[in-house]
Amino acid sequence: MSAKTIERKITVPGPRVSPLFGHITQVLNFVGDSIKLSSQLFDKYGSVVSLALGGGTNVYSPYPNCPGTVLGYGADIVREVTSQHDIYHKCPLSGHIYRKRNDSARTQPFRHFLVGLFGVNGAEHRQHRQLLMPAFHRQRIEAYRDEMVEITQSELEKLQVGEVVDILEFMRRLTMRIATKTLFGRDFSKDGDSFTNLLKEVFGNFASPAVLGLPYDIPGFPYHNLLNNMAELDARMRAIIGQKRETGIDNGDVLSMLIQARDAESGITLTDDELLGHLGVLYAAGHDTSANTLTWTLFLLSQHPQVAADLLDELDSVLHGEAPTIEQLQQLPLLERVIKESMRVLSPLPWNGRVTSQDTTLSGYDLPKGTEVFVSIYHTNRVPEIYSEPKRFIPQRWEQIQPSIYEYNPFSAGSRVCIGASFAMMEIKIILAMLLMRYRLELLPQKVDAKGLIVLCAENGISMRVCKQDREFYRGVGGISGNVRAMVDLVE
Ligand code: HEM
């Protein structure tokens, strides 16, 4: 035991909550609208706060005896947390439900689904990351360009001029098709959608309140359905892995690459369980993030007609209506700035979640082992000293500023920086360029609530009318209500 034993009580400032239901209420409020609650707490207590004074809350750590939840933002906090990866551990993306993994034979898939890179730390993380890296090397990613273009084209064909679409749903379908094609090598939408439906059912329900609140394996309960779906997905994914192992052919997809991956020193390769874990995480981390980034960017463009007009000028002058080549993707500086600014204002992944693996200190405060730490990407990316008028969407600001990785980090920082960042940027650029040259999406007056603990998402989608690209960008500006107005300056 060290000379100075840190008490298991959290001493970070925070609100006093009632001992009866206060902690659970705080957790529910944070899960319900993490940005609203944390903004209030940061305003009141500073850049490092406890969700409840003295601790006692547990939002996502699957480990027993979580002492509490600490939130922080700003470059110094980001640096402290993301550069000390042996102290600030990650947990499986499945959060609380991971505790159920040894309950019965039916809960065994919890051991690997949504575990992947998020479920390993220290040397094990370094080894797995090295095995995965070749699948995300530049050349490998660039080879996905044709598939991204083909799938985007086929989804754009389906849009009808005049129809109203939920653009989030559209983007989810599109990015899901790209994810399954590039991960598994097959466009599952052509197989009657049963596989993609299964993926949706499983990965969409891990954190649903109905599953977490009533985790009973009894017919009729959502948890029971989740276990059924997980068993089916498990079997189907194992069959795909088995087929690929048998043929031994590298089809250019991520799975082929991972099957062949071998640790240079130990010669170790990935087991089927590990492959299932990695594929699930890549799928979950990779498609909803891009779908929401695309949705928020189209939303912001619809409310900033001059930016939309300048962007279309750039796209037309470089691409002349054709899908971008790899070289052309480097020649679209405004497109890059629009995406960067969109991810700054409405950060698709607002939090980096960690659990301390030992007693430590953060910004001078003692943190006991097991403390959950959430670092806010959202608040870090709107510090006024770096971003003047932080609530305004100004892509041109990127001509003047060059923040460090700790000051601007939509893809996080340090050794756990997003492995799919280049993939995502390429995908988002291709989809936006192809869509905007063909259609103008007109926002309908509506309430837009941006919520989410893992992905910042428009709670009820975003309805837009599909118009041919007529440059009438002033149509559809205004008429927005909802909590998004507290996040970004919009016209009345
Ligand atoms: C706009 C799209 C995306 C955003 C904003 C994003 C953001 C992030 C962030 C912030 C993290 C760090 C999370 C943390 O440490 O708590 C992360 C990690 C990760 N991302 Fe992404 N991501 C995106 C797209 C993708 C794509 C397309 C893939 C894969 C195809 C991917 C795969 C991963 C993986 C595997 C990790 C874990 C890395 C590790 O722990 O070593 N992401 N991402």
Side-chain angles (χ1 to χ4, degrees), residues 446-491:
Q446 64 197 284
K447 186 165 182 260
V448 178
D449 282 324
K451 294 206 177 142
L453 187 60
I454 298 181
V455 178
L456 186 71
C457 144
E459 198 175 34
N460 300 308
I462 295 191
S463 300
M464 293 180 128
R465 178 171 291 112
V466 180
C467 306
K468 70 177 173 33
Q469 186 46 276
D470 53 8
R471 294 186 161 264
E472 306 255 336
F473 296 111
Y474 283 87
R475 291 179 184 269
V477 175
I480 307 300
S481 59
N483 79 350
V484 76
R485 295 200 69 96
M487 301 179 169
V488 51
D489 286 342
L490 299 169
V491 293

Short mmCIF file of all heavy atoms in Angstrom, two decimals, residues 446-491:
data_model
loop_
_atom_site.label_atom_id
_atom_site.label_comp_id
_atom_site.label_asym_id
_atom_site.label_seq_id
_atom_site.Cartn_x
_atom_site.Cartn_y
_atom_site.Cartn_z
N GLN A 446 -38.82 22.28 -37.99
CA GLN A 446 -38.96 21.13 -37.08
C GLN A 446 -38.19 21.34 -35.79
O GLN A 446 -37.36 22.26 -35.69
CB GLN A 446 -38.48 19.84 -37.75
CG GLN A 446 -37.00 19.84 -38.09
CD GLN A 446 -36.63 18.76 -39.09
OE1 GLN A 446 -36.56 17.60 -38.74
NE2 GLN A 446 -36.41 19.16 -40.35
N LYS A 447 -38.46 20.43 -34.85
CA LYS A 447 -37.73 20.43 -33.58
C LYS A 447 -36.54 19.49 -33.73
O LYS A 447 -36.73 18.33 -34.12
CB LYS A 447 -38.68 19.92 -32.51
CG LYS A 447 -38.15 19.98 -31.10
CD LYS A 447 -39.33 19.80 -30.13
CE LYS A 447 -38.86 19.91 -28.70
NZ LYS A 447 -38.68 18.64 -28.06
N VAL A 448 -35.36 19.97 -33.44
CA VAL A 448 -34.18 19.11 -33.55
C VAL A 448 -33.53 19.01 -32.16
O VAL A 448 -33.03 20.00 -31.63
CB VAL A 448 -33.16 19.67 -34.58
CG1 VAL A 448 -31.92 18.79 -34.62
CG2 VAL A 448 -33.80 19.77 -35.97
N ASP A 449 -33.58 17.82 -31.61
CA ASP A 449 -32.95 17.59 -30.32
C ASP A 449 -31.72 16.71 -30.51
O ASP A 449 -31.83 15.58 -31.00
CB ASP A 449 -33.93 16.91 -29.35
CG ASP A 449 -34.93 17.90 -28.79
OD1 ASP A 449 -34.54 19.06 -28.55
OD2 ASP A 449 -36.11 17.53 -28.62
N ALA A 450 -30.57 17.24 -30.13
CA ALA A 450 -29.31 16.51 -30.28
C ALA A 450 -28.98 15.85 -28.95
O ALA A 450 -28.76 16.55 -27.97
CB ALA A 450 -28.20 17.46 -30.69
N LYS A 451 -29.01 14.53 -28.92
CA LYS A 451 -28.78 13.83 -27.65
C LYS A 451 -27.88 12.62 -27.88
O LYS A 451 -27.71 12.18 -29.01
CB LYS A 451 -30.12 13.37 -27.08
CG LYS A 451 -31.00 14.54 -26.67
CD LYS A 451 -31.98 14.18 -25.59
CE LYS A 451 -32.75 15.42 -25.20
NZ LYS A 451 -34.14 15.12 -24.92
N GLY A 452 -27.41 12.07 -26.78
CA GLY A 452 -26.67 10.82 -26.91
C GLY A 452 -25.41 10.82 -26.08
O GLY A 452 -24.72 11.82 -25.99
N LEU A 453 -25.16 9.68 -25.47
CA LEU A 453 -23.96 9.56 -24.65
C LEU A 453 -22.80 9.03 -25.49
O LEU A 453 -21.68 9.48 -25.37
CB LEU A 453 -24.25 8.59 -23.49
CG LEU A 453 -23.18 8.48 -22.43
CD1 LEU A 453 -22.92 9.83 -21.78
CD2 LEU A 453 -23.58 7.47 -21.38
N ILE A 454 -23.09 8.07 -26.37
CA ILE A 454 -22.01 7.54 -27.20
C ILE A 454 -21.93 8.35 -28.48
O ILE A 454 -20.89 8.92 -28.80
CB ILE A 454 -22.23 6.04 -27.48
CG1 ILE A 454 -22.22 5.27 -26.16
CG2 ILE A 454 -21.12 5.50 -28.40
CD1 ILE A 454 -22.40 3.79 -26.26
N VAL A 455 -23.01 8.43 -29.23
CA VAL A 455 -23.01 9.21 -30.48
C VAL A 455 -24.01 10.35 -30.33
O VAL A 455 -25.14 10.12 -29.89
CB VAL A 455 -23.40 8.31 -31.68
CG1 VAL A 455 -23.45 9.14 -32.96
CG2 VAL A 455 -22.41 7.17 -31.85
N LEU A 456 -23.60 11.56 -30.69
CA LEU A 456 -24.51 12.71 -30.64
C LEU A 456 -25.42 12.63 -31.86
O LEU A 456 -24.96 12.74 -33.00
CB LEU A 456 -23.72 14.02 -30.66
CG LEU A 456 -24.56 15.27 -30.45
CD1 LEU A 456 -25.07 15.37 -29.02
CD2 LEU A 456 -23.76 16.52 -30.79
N CYS A 457 -26.70 12.45 -31.59
CA CYS A 457 -27.58 12.07 -32.69
C CYS A 457 -28.87 12.88 -32.61
O CYS A 457 -29.31 13.25 -31.53
CB CYS A 457 -27.77 10.57 -32.51
SG CYS A 457 -29.30 9.87 -32.87
N ALA A 458 -29.45 13.19 -33.77
CA ALA A 458 -30.73 13.90 -33.79
C ALA A 458 -31.79 12.91 -33.32
O ALA A 458 -32.10 11.94 -34.03
CB ALA A 458 -31.03 14.40 -35.20
N GLU A 459 -32.34 13.18 -32.15
CA GLU A 459 -33.18 12.18 -31.47
C GLU A 459 -34.31 11.66 -32.36
O GLU A 459 -34.61 10.47 -32.37
CB GLU A 459 -33.77 12.79 -30.20
CG GLU A 459 -34.25 11.76 -29.24
CD GLU A 459 -34.73 12.40 -27.94
OE1 GLU A 459 -35.28 13.52 -27.97
OE2 GLU A 459 -34.55 11.77 -26.90
N ASN A 460 -34.96 12.56 -33.10
CA ASN A 460 -36.08 12.12 -33.96
C ASN A 460 -35.74 12.22 -35.44
O ASN A 460 -36.62 12.41 -36.27
CB ASN A 460 -37.32 12.95 -33.64
CG ASN A 460 -37.71 12.77 -32.18
OD1 ASN A 460 -37.85 11.64 -31.71
ND2 ASN A 460 -37.83 13.86 -31.46
N GLY A 461 -34.48 12.12 -35.76
CA GLY A 461 -34.07 12.24 -37.16
C GLY A 461 -34.18 13.68 -37.64
O GLY A 461 -34.50 14.59 -36.87
N ILE A 462 -33.89 13.90 -38.92
CA ILE A 462 -34.00 15.25 -39.50
C ILE A 462 -34.69 15.12 -40.85
O ILE A 462 -34.19 14.42 -41.75
CB ILE A 462 -32.62 15.91 -39.64
CG1 ILE A 462 -32.02 16.13 -38.24
CG2 ILE A 462 -32.72 17.22 -40.41
CD1 ILE A 462 -30.78 16.99 -38.20
N SER A 463 -35.85 15.80 -40.97
CA SER A 463 -36.62 15.68 -42.23
C SER A 463 -36.17 16.74 -43.22
O SER A 463 -36.13 17.93 -42.90
CB SER A 463 -38.10 15.91 -41.96
OG SER A 463 -38.55 14.95 -41.05
N MET A 464 -35.86 16.29 -44.42
CA MET A 464 -35.43 17.22 -45.47
C MET A 464 -36.12 16.87 -46.77
O MET A 464 -36.33 15.67 -47.06
CB MET A 464 -33.91 17.14 -45.65
CG MET A 464 -33.14 17.68 -44.45
SD MET A 464 -31.37 17.56 -44.70
CE MET A 464 -30.87 19.23 -44.33
N ARG A 465 -36.45 17.90 -47.54
CA ARG A 465 -37.06 17.65 -48.84
C ARG A 465 -35.95 17.53 -49.88
O ARG A 465 -35.02 18.34 -49.92
CB ARG A 465 -38.01 18.78 -49.23
CG ARG A 465 -38.62 18.57 -50.63
CD ARG A 465 -39.72 19.53 -50.99
NE ARG A 465 -40.92 19.29 -50.20
CZ ARG A 465 -41.39 20.13 -49.28
NH1 ARG A 465 -40.78 21.26 -49.04
NH2 ARG A 465 -42.49 19.84 -48.61
N VAL A 466 -36.07 16.53 -50.73
CA VAL A 466 -35.06 16.33 -51.79
C VAL A 466 -35.43 17.22 -52.97
O VAL A 466 -36.54 17.11 -53.52
CB VAL A 466 -35.05 14.84 -52.24
CG1 VAL A 466 -34.01 14.63 -53.33
CG2 VAL A 466 -34.80 13.92 -51.05
N CYS A 467 -34.54 18.14 -53.34
CA CYS A 467 -34.78 19.01 -54.51
C CYS A 467 -33.63 18.77 -55.48
O CYS A 467 -32.54 18.37 -55.08
CB CYS A 467 -34.75 20.47 -54.10
SG CYS A 467 -35.87 20.86 -52.74
N LYS A 468 -33.87 19.02 -56.76
CA LYS A 468 -32.73 18.93 -57.66
C LYS A 468 -31.78 20.08 -57.32
O LYS A 468 -32.22 21.07 -56.72
CB LYS A 468 -33.16 18.96 -59.12
CG LYS A 468 -33.71 20.26 -59.63
CD LYS A 468 -34.00 20.09 -61.11
CE LYS A 468 -34.71 21.25 -61.76
NZ LYS A 468 -34.53 22.58 -61.38
N GLN A 469 -30.53 19.95 -57.62
CA GLN A 469 -29.58 20.98 -57.20
C GLN A 469 -29.80 22.23 -58.05
O GLN A 469 -29.32 22.35 -59.16
CB GLN A 469 -28.14 20.47 -57.32
CG GLN A 469 -27.08 21.42 -56.79
CD GLN A 469 -27.42 22.02 -55.41
OE1 GLN A 469 -28.14 23.01 -55.31
NE2 GLN A 469 -26.92 21.40 -54.35
N ASP A 470 -30.57 23.19 -57.49
CA ASP A 470 -30.94 24.41 -58.22
C ASP A 470 -30.30 25.65 -57.62
O ASP A 470 -30.62 26.76 -58.01
CB ASP A 470 -32.48 24.55 -58.21
CG ASP A 470 -33.03 24.48 -56.78
OD1 ASP A 470 -32.23 24.47 -55.82
OD2 ASP A 470 -34.26 24.43 -56.61
N ARG A 471 -29.46 25.46 -56.64
CA ARG A 471 -28.73 26.55 -55.98
C ARG A 471 -29.65 27.52 -55.21
O ARG A 471 -29.24 28.62 -54.89
CB ARG A 471 -27.88 27.34 -56.98
CG ARG A 471 -26.77 26.51 -57.57
CD ARG A 471 -25.85 27.32 -58.45
NE ARG A 471 -24.60 26.61 -58.62
CZ ARG A 471 -23.51 26.84 -57.90
NH1 ARG A 471 -23.51 27.76 -56.97
NH2 ARG A 471 -22.42 26.12 -58.09
N GLU A 472 -30.86 27.10 -54.93
CA GLU A 472 -31.78 27.97 -54.16
C GLU A 472 -31.52 27.76 -52.67
O GLU A 472 -32.40 27.31 -51.93
CB GLU A 472 -33.23 27.62 -54.50
CG GLU A 472 -33.55 27.64 -55.97
CD GLU A 472 -34.36 28.87 -56.36
OE1 GLU A 472 -35.03 29.43 -55.49
OE2 GLU A 472 -34.28 29.26 -57.54
N PHE A 473 -30.31 28.08 -52.25
CA PHE A 473 -29.89 27.69 -50.91
C PHE A 473 -30.63 28.42 -49.79
O PHE A 473 -30.62 27.97 -48.65
CB PHE A 473 -28.38 27.91 -50.74
CG PHE A 473 -27.56 27.02 -51.65
CD1 PHE A 473 -26.84 27.56 -52.70
CD2 PHE A 473 -27.55 25.65 -51.47
CE1 PHE A 473 -26.10 26.74 -53.54
CE2 PHE A 473 -26.81 24.83 -52.30
CZ PHE A 473 -26.08 25.38 -53.34
N TYR A 474 -31.27 29.55 -50.10
CA TYR A 474 -31.97 30.29 -49.04
C TYR A 474 -33.30 29.64 -48.64
O TYR A 474 -33.86 29.96 -47.62
CB TYR A 474 -32.18 31.76 -49.45
CG TYR A 474 -30.89 32.53 -49.29
CD1 TYR A 474 -29.96 32.57 -50.33
CD2 TYR A 474 -30.58 33.12 -48.08
CE1 TYR A 474 -28.75 33.22 -50.17
CE2 TYR A 474 -29.37 33.78 -47.90
CZ TYR A 474 -28.45 33.83 -48.95
OH TYR A 474 -27.26 34.47 -48.77
N ARG A 475 -33.75 28.70 -49.47
CA ARG A 475 -34.98 28.00 -49.10
C ARG A 475 -34.69 27.04 -47.93
O ARG A 475 -33.68 26.36 -47.95
CB ARG A 475 -35.51 27.18 -50.27
CG ARG A 475 -36.04 28.04 -51.41
CD ARG A 475 -36.52 27.14 -52.52
NE ARG A 475 -36.94 27.93 -53.66
CZ ARG A 475 -38.18 28.37 -53.84
NH1 ARG A 475 -39.12 28.07 -52.98
NH2 ARG A 475 -38.48 29.11 -54.89
N GLY A 476 -35.59 27.01 -46.97
CA GLY A 476 -35.42 26.07 -45.86
C GLY A 476 -34.57 26.60 -44.73
O GLY A 476 -34.26 25.86 -43.79
N VAL A 477 -34.17 27.88 -44.79
CA VAL A 477 -33.38 28.43 -43.68
C VAL A 477 -34.35 28.88 -42.58
O VAL A 477 -35.34 29.55 -42.87
CB VAL A 477 -32.52 29.62 -44.16
CG1 VAL A 477 -31.79 30.25 -42.97
CG2 VAL A 477 -31.52 29.15 -45.22
N GLY A 478 -34.07 28.52 -41.34
CA GLY A 478 -34.90 28.95 -40.20
C GLY A 478 -35.95 27.92 -39.83
O GLY A 478 -36.02 26.83 -40.42
N GLY A 479 -36.73 28.27 -38.81
CA GLY A 479 -37.83 27.39 -38.40
C GLY A 479 -37.41 26.23 -37.53
O GLY A 479 -38.13 25.24 -37.40
N ILE A 480 -36.22 26.34 -36.92
CA ILE A 480 -35.73 25.22 -36.09
C ILE A 480 -35.96 25.51 -34.61
O ILE A 480 -35.63 26.59 -34.13
CB ILE A 480 -34.20 25.01 -36.28
CG1 ILE A 480 -33.85 24.88 -37.76
CG2 ILE A 480 -33.69 23.82 -35.48
CD1 ILE A 480 -34.50 23.72 -38.44
N SER A 481 -36.53 24.55 -33.91
CA SER A 481 -36.60 24.64 -32.44
C SER A 481 -35.88 23.41 -31.89
O SER A 481 -35.33 22.61 -32.65
CB SER A 481 -38.07 24.68 -31.99
OG SER A 481 -38.71 23.51 -32.44
N GLY A 482 -35.89 23.27 -30.58
CA GLY A 482 -35.23 22.09 -29.98
C GLY A 482 -33.90 22.48 -29.35
O GLY A 482 -33.42 23.60 -29.51
N ASN A 483 -33.29 21.51 -28.67
CA ASN A 483 -32.09 21.83 -27.88
C ASN A 483 -30.86 22.14 -28.74
O ASN A 483 -29.88 22.68 -28.26
CB ASN A 483 -31.78 20.71 -26.87
CG ASN A 483 -31.11 19.50 -27.52
OD1 ASN A 483 -31.02 19.40 -28.74
ND2 ASN A 483 -30.65 18.58 -26.69
N VAL A 484 -30.93 21.84 -30.05
CA VAL A 484 -29.78 22.13 -30.91
C VAL A 484 -29.52 23.64 -30.95
O VAL A 484 -28.39 24.08 -31.18
CB VAL A 484 -30.01 21.54 -32.34
CG1 VAL A 484 -30.98 22.38 -33.15
CG2 VAL A 484 -28.69 21.35 -33.07
N ARG A 485 -30.55 24.41 -30.64
CA ARG A 485 -30.38 25.87 -30.67
C ARG A 485 -29.43 26.33 -29.56
O ARG A 485 -28.84 27.41 -29.66
CB ARG A 485 -31.73 26.57 -30.52
CG ARG A 485 -32.68 26.33 -31.69
CD ARG A 485 -33.75 27.41 -31.71
NE ARG A 485 -33.14 28.68 -32.07
CZ ARG A 485 -33.12 29.19 -33.29
NH1 ARG A 485 -33.70 28.53 -34.28
NH2 ARG A 485 -32.55 30.34 -33.53
N ALA A 486 -29.33 25.54 -28.51
CA ALA A 486 -28.40 25.91 -27.43
C ALA A 486 -26.96 25.53 -27.80
O ALA A 486 -26.01 25.95 -27.15
CB ALA A 486 -28.80 25.23 -26.14
N MET A 487 -26.81 24.75 -28.85
CA MET A 487 -25.47 24.25 -29.21
C MET A 487 -24.85 25.03 -30.35
O MET A 487 -23.63 25.09 -30.48
CB MET A 487 -25.57 22.78 -29.63
CG MET A 487 -26.12 21.88 -28.56
SD MET A 487 -26.20 20.19 -29.19
CE MET A 487 -26.55 19.34 -27.69
N VAL A 488 -25.70 25.55 -31.22
CA VAL A 488 -25.17 26.23 -32.40
C VAL A 488 -26.05 27.43 -32.71
O VAL A 488 -27.27 27.37 -32.55
CB VAL A 488 -25.05 25.23 -33.59
CG1 VAL A 488 -26.32 24.48 -33.85
CG2 VAL A 488 -24.62 25.91 -34.87
N ASP A 489 -25.42 28.55 -33.10
CA ASP A 489 -26.19 29.76 -33.45
C ASP A 489 -26.88 29.54 -34.78
O ASP A 489 -26.23 29.25 -35.80
CB ASP A 489 -25.24 30.97 -33.56
CG ASP A 489 -24.78 31.44 -32.19
OD1 ASP A 489 -25.44 31.08 -31.20
OD2 ASP A 489 -23.77 32.16 -32.13
N LEU A 490 -28.21 29.69 -34.77
CA LEU A 490 -28.99 29.51 -36.00
C LEU A 490 -29.89 30.72 -36.17
O LEU A 490 -30.29 31.34 -35.18
CB LEU A 490 -29.86 28.25 -35.90
CG LEU A 490 -29.13 26.92 -35.72
CD1 LEU A 490 -30.12 25.81 -35.36
CD2 LEU A 490 -28.37 26.55 -37.00
N VAL A 491 -30.26 31.02 -37.42
CA VAL A 491 -31.18 32.15 -37.62
C VAL A 491 -32.56 31.74 -37.11
O VAL A 491 -32.88 30.55 -37.03
CB VAL A 491 -31.28 32.56 -39.12
CG1 VAL A 491 -29.96 33.12 -39.60
CG2 VAL A 491 -31.77 31.42 -39.97
#
